[in-house]
Coordinates of all heavy atoms in Angstrom, one line a residue:
H9 N 0.1 7.7 -8.7 CA -0.9 7.5 -9.7 C -2.2 6.9 -9.2 O -3.3 7.2 -9.8 CB -0.3 6.7 -10.9 CG 0.9 7.3 -11.4 ND1 0.8 8.4 -12.3 CD2 2.2 7.0 -11.3 CE1 2.1 8.8 -12.6 NE2 2.9 7.9 -12.0
A25 N -16.1 23.9 4.1 CA -16.1 24.1 5.6 C -16.7 23.0 6.4 O -16.7 23.0 7.6 CB -17.0 25.4 5.9
A27 N -16.9 18.9 7.8 CA -15.9 18.1 8.4 C -15.9 16.7 7.8 O -15.6 15.7 8.5 CB -16.2 18.0 9.9
A28 N -16.2 16.5 6.6 CA -15.9 15.3 5.8 C -16.7 14.1 6.3 O -16.2 13.0 6.4 CB -14.4 15.0 5.8
T39 N -1.9 8.5 15.4 CA -2.6 8.9 16.6 C -1.8 9.8 17.5 O -0.6 9.4 17.8 CB -3.1 7.7 17.4 OG1 -3.7 6.8 16.5 CG2 -4.0 8.1 18.5
H79 N 3.5 32.7 -6.0 CA 2.4 33.0 -6.9 C 1.1 33.0 -6.0 O 1.2 32.6 -4.8 CB 2.3 32.0 -8.0 CG 2.2 30.5 -7.6 ND1 3.2 29.8 -7.2 CD2 1.1 29.7 -7.6 CE1 2.9 28.6 -6.9 NE2 1.6 28.5 -7.1
L104 N 5.5 28.7 10.0 CA 6.9 28.7 9.9 C 7.3 29.6 8.8 O 6.5 29.9 7.9 CB 7.5 27.3 9.7 CG 7.0 26.3 10.8 CD1 7.6 24.9 10.4 CD2 7.5 26.7 12.2
A110 N 13.2 22.7 -1.1 CA 13.0 21.6 -0.2 C 13.9 21.4 1.0 O 13.5 21.2 2.1 CB 12.9 20.3 -1.0
S112 N 15.5 23.7 2.7 CA 15.1 24.7 3.7 C 13.9 24.3 4.4 O 13.8 24.5 5.6 CB 14.9 26.1 3.0 OG 16.1 26.5 2.4
I129 N 0.9 20.9 10.0 CA 0.4 20.9 8.7 C 1.6 21.2 7.7 O 2.3 22.2 7.9 CB -0.7 22.0 8.5 CG1 -1.9 21.7 9.4 CG2 -1.2 22.0 7.0 CD1 -2.8 22.9 9.5
A147 N 6.9 9.8 13.8 CA 7.6 8.9 14.7 C 7.7 9.7 16.1 O 7.8 9.0 17.1 CB 9.0 8.6 14.2
Q162 N 2.5 6.5 2.9 CA 1.4 6.9 3.7 C 1.7 6.9 5.2 O 0.9 7.5 6.0 CB 0.2 5.9 3.4 CG -0.4 6.2 2.1 CD -1.6 5.2 1.8 OE1 -1.5 4.4 0.9 NE2 -2.6 5.4 2.6
Y165 N 2.0 10.6 7.1 CA 0.9 11.5 7.5 C -0.2 10.8 8.2 O -0.4 9.6 8.1 CB 0.4 12.2 6.2 CG -0.2 11.3 5.1 CD1 -1.4 10.7 5.3 CD2 0.5 11.1 4.0 CE1 -2.0 9.9 4.3 CE2 0.0 10.3 3.0 CZ -1.3 9.7 3.1 OH -1.8 8.9 2.2
K175 N -9.7 14.6 -11.2 CA -10.9 15.2 -11.7 C -10.7 16.6 -12.3 O -11.5 17.0 -13.2 CB -11.9 15.3 -10.5 CG -12.6 14.0 -10.1 CD -13.7 13.6 -11.0 CE -14.9 14.6 -11.0 NZ -15.6 14.5 -9.7
T182 N -13.6 16.8 -20.3 CA -15.0 16.6 -20.7 C -15.6 17.8 -21.3 O -16.3 17.7 -22.3 CB -15.8 16.2 -19.4 OG1 -15.2 15.0 -18.9 CG2 -17.2 16.0 -19.7
I184 N -14.0 20.3 -22.9 CA -13.4 20.5 -24.2 C -13.9 19.4 -25.2 O -14.3 19.7 -26.4 CB -11.9 20.4 -24.2 CG1 -11.3 21.7 -23.4 CG2 -11.2 20.3 -25.5 CD1 -9.9 21.7 -23.1
L207 N 0.8 15.7 -8.8 CA -0.4 16.3 -9.1 C -0.5 16.7 -10.6 O -1.6 16.7 -11.2 CB -0.7 17.5 -8.2 CG 0.3 18.7 -8.3 CD1 -0.2 19.7 -9.3 CD2 0.4 19.4 -6.9
A216 N -6.4 13.4 -20.5 CA -6.2 12.4 -21.6 C -7.4 11.4 -21.6 O -7.9 11.1 -22.6 CB -4.9 11.7 -21.5
S233 N 5.4 26.5 -14.6 CA 5.8 26.3 -13.2 C 4.9 27.0 -12.3 O 5.4 27.5 -11.2 CB 7.3 26.6 -13.0 OG 7.5 27.9 -13.3
K252 N -2.4 26.7 -35.6 CA -3.8 26.6 -35.4 C -4.1 25.8 -34.1 O -3.5 24.8 -33.8 CB -4.5 25.9 -36.6 CG -6.0 25.7 -36.4 CD -6.6 24.9 -37.5 CE -8.1 24.5 -37.3 NZ -8.2 23.6 -36.1
D254 N -7.6 24.7 -31.3 CA -9.0 24.7 -31.1 C -9.3 25.0 -29.6 O -10.3 25.6 -29.2 CB -9.6 23.4 -31.5 CG -9.7 23.3 -33.0 OD1 -10.5 24.0 -33.6 OD2 -8.9 22.5 -33.5
F279 N -9.1 30.0 -30.5 CA -9.3 28.9 -29.6 C -9.8 29.5 -28.2 O -9.8 30.7 -28.0 CB -7.9 28.2 -29.4 CG -6.8 29.1 -28.8 CD1 -6.6 29.1 -27.4 CD2 -6.0 29.9 -29.6 CE1 -5.7 29.9 -26.8 CE2 -5.0 30.7 -29.0 CZ -4.9 30.7 -27.6
A319 N -6.7 19.5 11.6 CA -5.6 19.4 12.5 C -6.1 19.6 14.0 O -5.6 18.9 14.9 CB -4.5 20.4 12.1
G325 N -8.2 15.0 19.8 CA -8.8 13.6 19.9 C -10.3 13.6 19.6 O -11.0 12.8 20.2
A332 N -20.6 10.1 13.3 CA -21.2 9.2 14.3 C -20.2 8.4 15.2 O -20.3 7.3 15.4 CB -22.1 8.2 13.5
Q354 N -21.9 31.0 -8.0 CA -21.8 30.2 -6.8 C -20.4 29.9 -6.4 O -20.2 29.4 -5.2 CB -22.6 28.9 -7.0 CG -21.9 27.9 -7.9 CD -22.8 26.7 -8.1 OE1 -23.8 26.8 -8.8 NE2 -22.5 25.5 -7.6
E356 N -17.9 32.3 -6.6 CA -17.1 33.5 -6.4 C -16.6 33.6 -4.9 O -15.6 34.3 -4.7 CB -18.0 34.7 -6.7 CG -18.2 34.8 -8.2 CD -19.1 36.0 -8.6 OE1 -20.1 36.2 -7.9 OE2 -18.9 36.6 -9.7

Side-chain angles (χ1 to χ4, degrees):
H9 299 285
T39 311
H79 57 285
L104 305 178
S112 299
I129 301 170
Q162 287 181 247
Y165 57 77
K175 283 285 291 295
T182 298
I184 289 173
L207 65 89
S233 57
K252 173 185 173 296
D254 290 286
F279 64 93
Q354 74 186 68
E356 290 177 324

